[in-house]
Amino acid sequence: TVPFTTLAGFALFYPKLRTSWIFWLCLAAIHGFALAQLWYFEGNGLFLFFYTTLTMTLALASGNPAPILRMNARYLIGFVFLFAFMWKLLTPDFISGRFMEYYLLTDNRISPVAMILTSLTQVDIQENQNQLEQLPDETIQLQSKARVHSLAVLLTYLTLIVEVSVAIVFLLPINPWVRDAVFIFFLVS
């Protein structure tokens, strides 16, 4: 929302705002009001952002925000990854590799991985994207190769392993160095 972005922008130029619980309360109220109006349209990230602004408000109002923010950040990351892992584990299209295969075959952000590691070509990817433009009128058959499905299954299980690893290291009392290493591995993967 524009009021939220405008207020957040002020904090860039006025450092005292960043440590004011009243400022964060205003941000939480604006964001919460907007979220309450259209909660069924909003993505999960916006709910997490609201939680974060509310946490900042309460932590700064406590007078000793550092331990509260540290604990909430750990638990927020840990539970987000735990729930992401559980959702994927309970979704048949994800577990089978079909979800990942679809993105390898159609999404320009990760299709180069499929082209490098399999015999899939740019022409195949372009044909898949052209077919997607025909939806929803027709059923389509995407161009794929057996190795693409194998790669999709491998990436699916690697994703699950990395996500549950991040959840574990953030939710359990583990050495911060290990936590940082696992999170950095997630970020670069």
Side-chain angles (χ1 to χ4, degrees):
T1 63
V2 174
F4 184 87
T5 307
T6 303
L7 272 178
F10 282 131
L12 292 173
F13 300 106
Y14 300 103
K16 286 193 177 222
L17 286 178
R18 284 178 266 182
T19 58
S20 166
W21 71 269
I22 294 171
F23 171 74
W24 285 97
L25 179 63
C26 290
L27 288 180
I30 291 168
H31 193 70
F33 179 76
L35 202 56
Q37 302 303 308
L38 299 168
W39 64 269
Y40 43 88
F41 287 121
E42 301 297 346
N44 295 337
L46 295 177
F47 287 95
L48 296 173
F49 195 64
F50 173 68
Y51 169 80
T52 301
T53 57
L54 199 54
T55 301
M56 288 294 294
T57 301
L58 297 173
L60 290 167
S62 77
N64 188 15
I68 295 169
L69 293 174
R70 194 172 18 260
M71 180 191 69
N72 275 276
R74 273 191 54 214
Y75 286 144
L76 180 63
I77 293 169
F79 281 115
V80 164
F81 276 84
L82 179 64
F83 288 128
F85 167 76
M86 289 178 1
W87 173 85
K88 289 175 175 98
L89 199 61
L90 296 172
T91 305
D93 283 340
F94 192 87
I95 290 295
S96 69
R98 288 188 303 248
F99 176 87
M100 191 68 72
E101 184 174 7
Y102 172 82
Y103 280 96
L104 285 168
L105 295 173
T106 61
D107 192 316
N108 286 330
R109 295 171 295 178
I110 64 170
S111 59
V113 173
M115 290 188 292
I116 291 168
L117 298 176
T118 70
S119 58
L120 200 66
T121 67
Q122 181 62 43
V123 173
D124 294 328
I125 301 295
Q126 188 60 50
E127 177 62 28
N128 289 339
Q129 291 170 343
N130 291 342
Q131 287 190 50
L132 286 175
E133 291 174 7
Q134 298 174 9
L135 289 176
D137 300 334
E138 302 176 25
T139 301
I140 60 171
Q141 178 65 44
L142 297 177
Q143 304 297 315
S144 187
K145 312 272 191 237
R147 290 181 69 190
V148 174
H149 182 72
S150 298
L151 176 61
V153 171
L154 174 68
L155 292 175
T156 294
Y157 285 97
L158 286 174
T159 299
L160 289 171
I161 291 167
V162 170
E163 286 188 359
V164 77
S165 297
V166 171
I168 289 168
V169 300
F170 275 86
L171 293 174
L172 298 179
I174 292 180
N175 184 315
W177 184 89
V178 174
R179 188 180 310 126
D180 293 347
V182 170
F183 197 61
I184 289 169
F185 179 78
F186 162 76
L187 292 173
V188 297
S189 64

